[in-house]
Amino acid sequence: MLTFAAAMSVAYSAQAQSERAKTTVDYTVRVNDTLYDLSAYYLTDIGSWTILKKLNRVSDPKHLQPDSTLHIPLALLKQSLLAARAIAVSGTVERTSGPGPFLPLSFDAALIEGDKVCTGPNSFATIQLSDGSHVTLHANTTILIKHLRATVLTGVVDRQFELKQGEVETKVTPLKPQDRYNIISPSLIAGVRGTEFRVVYGDNVGVGNTTVEVLEGKVAAQGPDAPPVLVPQQFGVISDSAGNVSAPIQMLPAPSLTEPGRVQDGLQIVFEIAAMPETRAYRAAIATDAGFLHIVNEARVEGPRAIFDDMPSGNYFVRLSAIDSHGIEGLSQIYSFRRARLSEASAAAARTANFEFRWTEDAHAGAGAQRTYHFVLATDLQLHDPVLDQTALTGTRLVLSDLKPGKYFWSVAAALSPSNNESREKPASIRSFTVGQ
């Protein structure tokens, strides 16, 4: 039986180990490792080997015992900057690095930590991160890429975006336990592990207020001086300017079109929406692709009718959602529609309905392997009855023609082909859209 003093010693030792685990990382020594080499590879300051020597009670920094464990302070670890790139730009979108002037953001432009991106009226941009996550900026939005880095030794990734004004929607690839992905407004921090959600800050939800709306997964929403509120899928929260976060509020169901098969051949593009109760406003967004990576127009209207100015002929997608009395946007429904400007020579081409599908590229998925994609389009949610099941796609875009009227479900998975020919796939979300008649 332990004496009281021995029991207290064991408890203290366990507590010390727990506290150390929060501030250090364990490294298993390999053959020929030295403190000098480890400091050069993994630490910000090569001279910090002296700290490792003292902390780990190393007698000879040039001769370390293989398979022994070193405790390395997290604060000393070297970090590398990650890159992002713009995979869709529409309208007036500008970026600046540090104190430099704002310049136009072009398609495929690289972005790094410290860059600021601004969209103008009716302008949009989608930024892809290295793991396939992406952030879409809606109109009149400004974000700062505050952190975009990885720790060299551990591979832990830290990504933080400051939302200065406007709205972003983001889809986050599942993260490792210690990774961080935050979107920060002046009144709230939204943190995730892998999910799809929107954050709005500014005029549309009240001056100084922030809303968070979760479409998939869970989000932790936290004010400056309060515990986090866990927001489940299909719920939203609103915080005031002081950072007080509401209880989760269930999002409104998706509205529907009254004429889903209407060909938009007039001077304006008009969508008649089936009116819904408890709705303050409606929102209609138009994109060239079914995944809404490339948004080209949107409107927020008080009544169930959305009108857009003229657009070129072609096939597009419209996404409809309803906004409740709190300012929280609800679930959405997507329809394809055809724009046919019959006065143009391109009218014949407009009669051929081409449906574009785009997805993001996961630069990490194919490390040491050939990276391809598996695309499935079906008429059932479980994808049991595929209209198209195509493997070994090497790009991030696919165009299909003349789909029959009905509701479709689609998914794209990153397929890994290791050298041993055993195929694996990363889990993928299932999306849907309706072709009207």
Side-chain angles (χ1 to χ4, degrees):
M1 179 179 295
L2 290 176
T3 64
F4 177 77
M8 289 298 293
S9 176
V10 170
Y12 177 80
S13 176
Q15 181 180 0
Q17 290 179 12
S18 176
E19 291 299 319
R20 183 179 63 207
K22 296 177 183 179
T23 59
T24 65
V25 62
D26 289 346
Y27 174 82
T28 301
V29 175
R30 294 176 292 187
V31 176
N32 297 325
D33 275 346
T34 71
L35 287 188
Y36 305 123
D37 290 339
L38 294 178
S39 297
Y41 295 152
Y42 300 124
L43 304 189
T44 303
D45 181 0
I46 191 173
S48 294
W49 69 267
T50 56
I51 300 176
L52 298 188
K53 182 177 183 295
K54 181 178 180 181
L55 176 65
N56 294 279
R57 300 178 181 177
V58 174
S59 57
D60 186 351
K62 292 183 179 180
H63 298 89
L64 304 179
Q65 179 63 42
D67 296 324
S68 62
T69 299
L70 294 178
H71 306 299
I72 303 178
L74 294 173
L76 301 182
L77 292 177
K78 184 186 300 182
Q79 294 184 319
S80 61
L81 295 182
L82 302 175
R85 66 186 184 94
I87 60 171
V89 177
S90 178
T92 302
V93 183
E94 297 180 322
R95 56 89 65 88
T96 183
S97 300
F102 276 95
L103 298 172
L105 178 68
S106 57
F107 170 75
D108 208 33
L111 294 162
I112 60 172
E113 181 177 302
D115 284 352
K116 185 182 290 185
V117 181
C118 300
T119 58
N122 206 34
S123 301
F124 313 89
T126 296
I127 300 169
Q128 176 183 286
L129 309 183
S130 59
D131 68 344
S133 301
H134 70 268
V135 183
T136 297
L137 284 66
H138 287 258
N140 301 310
T141 294
T142 299
I143 66 163
L144 169 68
I145 304 177
K146 186 175 182 181
H147 286 173
L148 195 59
R149 58 179 70 172
T151 302
V152 175
L153 174 61
T154 63
V156 170
V157 177
D158 180 14
R159 290 168 290 190
Q160 294 187 54
F161 302 89
E162 284 191 4
L163 179 61
K164 304 293 188 179
Q165 65 176 17
E167 174 184 358
V168 295
E169 59 181 88
T170 183
K171 184 170 179 61
V172 185
T173 299
L175 308 178
K176 299 188 294 292
Q178 294 181 323
D179 288 348
R180 181 165 60 174
Y181 189 109
N182 290 340
I183 292 182
I184 305 168
S185 79
S187 62
L188 178 144
I189 298 174
V192 301
R193 289 282 174 229
T195 185
E196 184 173 1
F197 67 107
R198 299 184 292 251
V199 181
V200 186
Y201 173 73
D203 295 342
N204 284 340
V205 293
V207 177
N209 292 351
T210 303
T211 60
V212 176
E213 300 138 3
V214 182
L215 303 173
E216 185 179 292
K218 298 177 182 179
V219 172
Q222 185 172 14
D225 301 307
V229 175
L230 188 63
V231 189
Q233 183 171 310
Q234 300 187 6
F235 280 76
V237 293
I238 183 168
S239 73
D240 59 22
S241 58
N244 299 306
V245 182
S246 72
I249 301 166
Q250 187 164 15
M251 295 159 61
L252 290 175
S256 58
L257 282 178
T258 60
E259 300 176 90
R262 176 179 176 176
V263 176
Q264 299 287 347
D265 56 4
L267 295 177
Q268 294 179 310
I269 298 171
V270 180
F271 298 106
E272 304 289 352
I273 305 169
M276 292 175 51
E278 302 178 358
T279 298
R280 177 200 290 181
Y282 298 89
R283 185 178 193 176
I286 296 175
T288 61
D289 64 297
F292 275 72
L293 292 178
H294 188 198
I295 301 175
V296 295
N297 215 332
E298 71 177 3
R300 179 186 172 111
V301 293
E302 293 184 2
R305 184 183 227 214
I307 301 176
F308 295 87
D309 292 332
D310 195 11
M311 293 176 59
S313 295
N315 216 65
Y316 298 88
F317 295 86
V318 60
R319 184 175 64 189
L320 304 177
S321 54
I323 299 168
D324 68 14
S325 59
H326 304 281
I328 293 175
E329 184 177 341
L331 305 177
S332 61
Q333 187 165 194
I334 296 173
Y335 295 86
S336 70
F337 73 94
R338 188 185 305 173
R339 173 60 171 158
R341 297 169 60 179
L342 298 181
S343 60
E344 293 187 348
S346 61
R351 287 194 291 271
T352 300
N354 291 322
F355 302 85
E356 181 180 1
F357 300 86
R358 292 184 60 185
W359 53 91
T360 55
E361 179 181 6
D362 186 346
H364 295 161
Q370 179 185 1
R371 181 174 60 254
T372 60
Y373 299 93
H374 181 191
F375 177 92
V376 180
L377 178 72
T379 55
D380 66 298
L381 178 60
Q382 291 74 31
L383 307 181
H384 290 161
D385 186 20
V387 175
L388 177 68
D389 188 337
Q390 190 164 345
T391 60
L393 292 171
T394 56
T396 56
R397 179 176 179 267
L398 180 67
V399 178
L400 303 179
S401 299
D402 296 325
L403 295 177
K404 296 179 180 179
K407 188 163 187 177
Y408 291 87
F409 301 86
W410 65 284
S411 176
V412 180
L416 310 182
S417 301
S419 56
N420 61 8
N421 293 323
E422 293 181 3
S423 63
R424 295 179 292 125
E425 290 188 357
K426 296 185 71 174
S429 300
I430 297 176
R431 300 178 178 273
S432 67
F433 67 95
T434 298
V435 178
Q437 58 182 343

